[in-house]
Amino acid sequence: MWYAIQTVTGEEEQTLANIRRLVDGEIYEDCFVLKREAVWRIGGECRVHTERLFPGYVFVSARYPKELYQQLKRVCSYTKILGKEEEEFYAVSEEEEEFLKDLLNGDKEYTMRLSPVSVDSQGNITACGAPLNKYLDRVVKKRIRLRYVMIRVRLFGRDRDVLVGIRVAGDISS
């Protein structure tokens, strides 16, 4: 199961390093930051870069959550584990974890890649690939020229807007 750990925005990589250094590797399977590909337009050209999908969050796939919680007390760079109540804390729900895995589309680097899309002359999306294809009905904002759409989903106990980078057919060389 996945557990979300809230940390200071910008210190996610340091928190990862601290967890890997201070927490027994037998307790967890993996520790990671979810990332997404995004497009910057520089000099009229589209360039792909990677950024954090959820700034301020580190995720841990844990075998032994109670032991993980105890050992995380040694990691000074995290602020709180989501869902913590007294000495218990809760996993990311199965539905949320499935959604996040859908966004990653099997990526081993925990990165949501750009979704290929086709648009008509009015800027409406006429076809799209993974990961956006499953969530096209949840789009609340689209910025085709800026190469992203925003989908609204329920995550970590509240509605959140998630930016999904898009690649319009033929505009970015892979």
Side-chain angles (χ1 to χ4, degrees):
M1 298 190 100
W2 287 9
Y3 296 86
I5 300 170
Q6 191 173 17
T7 190
V8 177
T9 300
E11 293 187 13
E12 298 88 353
E13 298 298 329
Q14 182 62 44
T15 300
L16 277 179
N18 288 342
I19 290 171
R20 289 178 177 147
R21 185 170 46 86
L22 298 170
V23 176
D24 181 1
E26 296 297 315
I27 291 174
Y28 68 95
E29 296 167 13
D30 204 358
C31 184
F32 50 93
V33 173
L34 296 178
K35 298 180 181 178
R36 71 178 190 96
E37 286 184 338
V39 177
W40 283 346
R41 293 179 64 93
I42 301 172
E45 278 186 40
C46 293
R47 299 200 181 150
V48 178
H49 75 282
T50 304
E51 59 190 33
R52 289 179 294 279
L53 182 58
F54 298 109
Y57 292 93
V58 172
F59 294 83
V60 178
S61 176
R63 294 183 188 109
Y64 306 103
K66 288 184 180 184
E67 291 84 354
L68 174 66
Y69 172 72
Q70 292 301 319
Q71 290 196 20
L72 280 174
K73 290 179 180 180
R74 291 189 250 161
V75 180
C76 60
S77 59
Y78 90 90
T79 55
K80 67 178 183 175
I81 300 170
L82 291 190
K84 182 190 173 301
E85 289 182 9
E86 296 179 25
E87 290 298 312
E88 294 287 322
F89 67 99
Y90 301 103
V92 172
S93 75
E94 287 182 33
E95 295 83 20
E96 292 170 338
E97 186 175 333
E98 194 60 38
F99 167 74
L100 294 171
K101 286 179 178 179
D102 277 349
L103 289 184
L104 299 174
N105 199 28
D107 189 86
K108 302 292 185 211
E109 297 173 1
Y110 298 102
T111 302
M112 178 178 54
R113 304 297 173 183
L114 297 175
S115 288
V117 300
S118 296
V119 294
D120 63 17
S121 59
Q122 286 80 38
N124 297 312
I125 297 172
T126 57
C128 64
L132 181 58
N133 59 344
K134 290 185 177 181
Y135 304 101
L136 197 54
D137 61 332
R138 297 185 188 187
V139 172
V140 293
K141 184 177 187 179
K142 61 181 176 179
R143 295 292 184 259
I144 302 300
R145 191 181 77 71
L146 297 177
R147 302 304 189 259
Y148 75 84
V149 298
M150 188 177 300
I151 60 175
R152 184 160 294 146
V153 295
R154 186 125 183 109
L155 275 176
F156 317 135
R158 66 182 176 105
D159 287 341
R160 294 182 186 263
D161 292 337
V162 178
L163 291 177
V164 179
I166 59 172
R167 180 180 69 235
V168 177
D171 73 341
I172 300 171
S173 55
S174 298

